[in-house]
Amino acid sequence: MPKEIRINAFVTFAPSHLSPGLWKHPRDKSLQYHTLAYWTELAQIAERGLYDALFWADGISTYSVYGNSHAPAIRGALQFPRLDPLLLVSAMAQVTTHLGFAVTSSTTYEPPYQFARRMSTLDHLTGGRVGWNIVTSFGSTGTKAVGLGDARGHDERYDVADEYMDLLYKLWEGSWEDGAAVRDRAGQVFADPGKVHEIHHDGKYFQMEGVHYSEPSPQRTPLLYQAGASARGKDFAAKHAECVFISAPSRKVIRDTVDDTRRRVAEQGRDPASVLFFMLLTVIVGRTEEEARAKLADIEQHVSLEGALALFSRWTGVDLAGKDIDAPFTYERSEAMQSTIVGFTIADPDRVWTIGELARHNAIGGKGPVLVGSPEQVADAMQAWIEDTGVDGFNLSYTIMPDSHRDFVDLVVPELQRRGVYKTAYRPGTLREKLYGAGRALLGDEHVAASHRTREAETV
Amino acid sequence: MPKEIRINAFVTFAPSHLSPGLWKHPRDKSLQYHTLAYWTELAQIAERGLYDALFWADGISTYSVYGNSHAPAIRGALQFPRLDPLLLVSAMAQVTTHLGFAVTSSTTYEPPYQFARRMSTLDHLTGGRVGWNIVTSFGSTGTKAVGLGDARGHDERYDVADEYMDLLYKLWEGSWEDGAAVRDRAGQVFADPGKVHEIHHDGKYFQMEGVHYSEPSPQRTPLLYQAGASARGKDFAAKHAECVFISAPSRKVIRDTVDDTRRRVAEQGRDPASVLFFMLLTVIVGRTEEEARAKLADIEQHVSLEGALALFSRWTGVDLAGKDIDAPFTYERSEAMQSTIVGFTIADPDRVWTIGELARHNAIGGKGPVLVGSPEQVADAMQAWIEDTGVDGFNLSYTIMPDSHRDFVDLVVPELQRRGVYKTAYRPGTLREKLYGAGRALLGDEHVAASHRTREAETV
């Protein structure tokens, strides 16, 4: 079989994600984002379409760069309000059997000991179907909300994250030996105290003493996603990530990122092919090209160009309010401007964007490409993107919820299956096994997490 | 109708709670505590029995007072391992319609901004069926695990908790005005920026700046439970709690606590009758007294007296390992000994306990009474406890899971209904409305939370 295409549904727990304004569309259900029914319907569509996972972006920064005001974000529901995706997972697991759940959580906002227990809890409850998208969070709105004052600098955030990962690996991989939880009724032993180890971590950013409060879950460490785009971010991904998410508008930028990151993965002593790359993609598909174009025309009537500019201002740190839309977008690179984002959005050497072009491009599906066409046209284009960039699959953003995903499942998935590039059934096992095969429930020995399996543990 | 009896199922997300050793019982399902099926079955039994809520105790301290070792707790699964109850709620909500969910979370361990978003998320997803059992957490195992070093003193923990509550009320009650989330498709306004307020909190223990990241949920502030037993704890409960949980072995101790707390509630300018008291209770019921006694005899063969002593050592701070079981239990009151717990466990002036008596008493259902008998006998006894103590209902602990609750629902609930002291259907609405009546979805104006509805908010 040719390379199998991987699909995640890319969402956020908010009334709007990457296509601002479409919550106003009469067929869109996004205003029901705060109900269980909205999410269980999506999860069941995704599982019917054999998606690998639902992938929730998350963040707690209100967007205020554009016009130096929160008002556009509040008025336009720009990824706001936004609720905690971890709390959706058990209900989604309840209505599905195989679908994975990748949740975003920040190494800046969440204390590591409690977070470790949360992810172990979810891995137990889902039977090993949980993943974690590691983010370090940029900007100071979020850090001020959680009482940390101004945000740390870009590279220091990654230093914090590296130590955070060490601490988590100690808990997930090192605190309980295999076979510690004997669960022996007759012998009256739930767990063998000699195999449950207290972790002592006394680092630059974190301190802790204690045992992991969860017995080992099916995957121990959840499947690790990351989206680092800067050099420091790519090194972090190369060390930790099993799946890398890229959002960029051009083949060249994506190809370069895939190649550069795989090179760094190899430098870490890991198999470069073992890291799976997902690129952001939005698909508007009809039974015919004409039908798809009609859907696009309808959608374009409801998108918010101001919302797109406000999102872009947030990502870049450049206030685009009141700017001439026909002027080329120019900027001075600075610490305040986030290299992780800017790198992908505008550092495409192939072209210069006017502000109006940026707004129109980003108004549907954010920074990623948008495919509009018949199932055959969409499948052709998806295969071409994979061929040209080396990615393994797509984080599929939506325009109309849940129609976008229902259309993709009903129209594009069968076409991909006909071409032999998409699974016709889930593999058994955990999320990691579904991606990597039987016997791969845990991180491999070549991953840095494995080094914490016995070291730095002491008998209680 | 005579006073209606309220029932919560009292549980924890662990293989064992208040009856140590019974996870070894051949009919007990507690070893499946880490699966969704275990919890959905219990939730459905509880809703069939018209329980008000599932009430999860929680904590992250390993118990090491007994014998100065974690080993007994690890070997015997003494409330260990224990997973995060908040993550169960959405799946429980998915399989029920009316049942409430009271989760324990600690003002010491969980950062307030993130916690506020979590509870709002759950209140949205459950349609207003969520409650919070406020604990301050004692002992240093937990604080060391979360990187806080040694625990704060008893009264300072409550000072922290008071400020924590202030901050939460500002977010839940003050950040979004009523009507702020207009959700107006035609007008292209999701929320009115003039009615969404940034909170500025600069306190002794917490700082934050930001808007609450959730639009108002059905209850805004979740239903507030508390279990303060010290003078400082009772004052905290009198100020904040809507439901108070008491675990104690004697009528006199419970009666005194109810009376004293209601007096303090009145001092806060609140209606003393508006606070509902729940006492810990374990019921072993059969179709006949003989059948119930046979169940008790069977259970007694599997309980762990060592486990009971280890739990008791944790609660009191007194190491009972290796002590003569026929000796009277004596202690010197100290800061290390937790007055919140000790007050209820042993400060009963009516009797002196030997260590063996304590072990046997606490081995089934912890510190609360155990009722064994026919449905009529159990109902008689429950009514007598209410009559004698002034409580409004019971936090019902289990021996065998889920048989204990199935027995109670099948045998005791119909008997209570026949007597006209138990509801025959749920009231509509949120958890707060189910307890207090229609129109009571939000905390009343007399509650301190109401004072944060407009004060200390600034327009963004």
Side-chain angles (χ1 to χ4, degrees), chain A residues 13 15 23-36 39-40 58-63 70-71 74-77 79-91 93-95 109-111 113-114 117-118 120-122 124-125 141 144-147 176 183-185 188-193 196 198 207-215 460, chain B residues 13 15 23-36 39-40 58-63 70-71 74-77 79-91 93-95 109-111 113-114 117-118 120-122 124-125 141 144-147 176 183-185 188-193 196 198 207-215 460:
Chain A
F13 196 170
W23 62 270
K24 300 180 273 102
H25 191 287
R27 268 209 330 284
D28 185 77
K29 289 193 184 176
S30 294
L31 285 180
Q32 299 307 309
Y33 76 96
H34 59 328
T35 65
L36 276 177
W39 292 103
T40 53
D58 192 31
I60 54 169
S61 291
T62 42
Y63 301 168
H70 299 281
I74 293 173
R75 199 163 42 231
Q79 305 181 356
F80 177 85
R82 180 147 58 178
L83 304 176
D84 187 334
L86 276 73
L87 297 168
L88 279 173
V89 171
S90 70
Q94 176 69 18
V95 300
Y109 302 148
E110 296 298 338
Y113 185 83
Q114 297 91 313
R117 186 172 77 131
R118 287 197 177 99
S120 294
T121 300
L122 291 180
H124 279 299
L125 291 177
T141 354
K144 285 178 180 168
V146 301
W176 293 63
R183 298 168 147 258
D184 177 3
R185 280 181 152 126
Q188 310 198 17
V189 177
F190 178 81
D192 177 352
V196 180
E198 191 160 88
Q207 291 76 40
M208 74 143 297
E209 292 176 37
V211 301
H212 187 37
Y213 230 74
S214 167
E215 60 184 304
V460 175
Chain B
F13 196 170
W23 62 271
K24 300 181 272 100
H25 191 287
R27 267 208 332 284
D28 184 76
K29 289 192 184 176
S30 294
L31 285 180
Q32 299 306 308
Y33 76 97
H34 59 328
T35 66
L36 276 177
W39 292 103
T40 54
D58 192 31
I60 53 169
S61 291
T62 43
Y63 300 168
H70 297 281
I74 293 173
R75 199 163 42 231
Q79 305 182 357
F80 177 85
R82 180 146 60 178
L83 303 175
D84 186 335
L86 276 74
L87 297 167
L88 279 173
V89 171
S90 71
Q94 176 68 22
V95 299
Y109 303 149
E110 296 297 339
Y113 186 83
Q114 296 91 314
R117 188 172 75 133
R118 286 196 177 98
S120 294
T121 301
L122 291 181
H124 279 299
L125 291 178
T141 357
K144 286 179 179 168
V146 302
W176 292 64
R183 298 169 148 256
D184 177 3
R185 279 178 151 128
Q188 311 197 20
V189 177
F190 178 82
D192 178 352
V196 179
E198 190 161 89
Q207 290 76 41
M208 75 141 300
E209 291 176 36
V211 301
H212 186 38
Y213 231 74
S214 166
E215 60 183 302
V460 174

Side-chain angles (χ1 to χ4, degrees), chain A residues 74-224:
Chain A
I74 293 173
R75 199 163 42 231
L78 298 181
Q79 305 181 356
F80 177 85
R82 180 147 58 178
L83 304 176
D84 187 334
L86 276 73
L87 297 168
L88 279 173
V89 171
S90 70
M92 303 300 95
Q94 176 69 18
V95 300
T96 56
T97 306
H98 295 287
L99 186 65
F101 306 103
V103 293
T104 295
S105 184
S106 165
T107 55
T108 297
Y109 302 148
E110 296 298 338
Y113 185 83
Q114 297 91 313
F115 177 69
R117 186 172 77 131
R118 287 197 177 99
M119 292 307 285
S120 294
T121 300
L122 291 180
D123 205 46
H124 279 299
L125 291 177
T126 61
R129 293 193 272 151
V130 78
W132 171 30
N133 178 37
I134 310 160
V135 300
T136 63
S137 304
F138 67 95
S140 290
T141 354
T143 49
K144 285 178 180 168
V146 301
L148 292 174
D150 283 325
R152 293 188 172 103
H154 175 271
D155 284 6
E156 190 181 12
R157 287 206 317 273
Y158 277 102
D159 294 341
V160 172
D162 264 323
E163 190 186 321
Y164 191 98
M165 297 306 294
D166 281 350
L167 200 169
L168 293 183
Y169 294 143
K170 290 175 188 176
L171 290 167
W172 285 330
E173 304 285 340
S175 187
W176 293 63
E177 293 182 30
D178 287 340
V182 292
R183 298 168 147 258
D184 177 3
R185 280 181 152 126
Q188 310 198 17
V189 177
F190 178 81
D192 177 352
K195 294 183 174 176
V196 180
H197 305 291
E198 191 160 88
I199 303 301
H200 296 268
H201 179 92
D202 186 12
K204 181 171 177 188
Y205 301 105
F206 302 104
Q207 291 76 40
M208 74 143 297
E209 292 176 37
V211 301
H212 187 37
Y213 230 74
S214 167
E215 60 184 304
S217 66
Q219 300 185 116
R220 284 184 176 259
T221 297
L223 187 73
L224 298 175

Side-chain angles (χ1 to χ4, degrees), chain A residues 299-336:
Chain A
I299 285 167
E300 284 178 330
Q301 291 185 4
H302 292 88
V303 296
S304 165
L305 294 182
E306 187 195 45
L309 288 176
L311 287 179
F312 191 80
S313 291
R314 151 74 180 170
W315 296 329
T316 59
V318 180
D319 182 4
L320 295 176
K323 293 279 164 53
D324 177 4
I325 62 162
D326 295 321
F329 177 70
T330 57
Y331 65 98
E332 288 184 52
R333 208 176 187 92
S334 70
E335 167 69 18

Side-chain angles (χ1 to χ4, degrees), chain B residues 406-418:
Chain B
R406 192 182 287 119
D407 287 349
F408 188 85
V409 168
D410 289 339
L411 298 174
V412 182
V413 164
E415 178 61 26
L416 295 174
Q417 287 171 327
R418 262 191 294 279

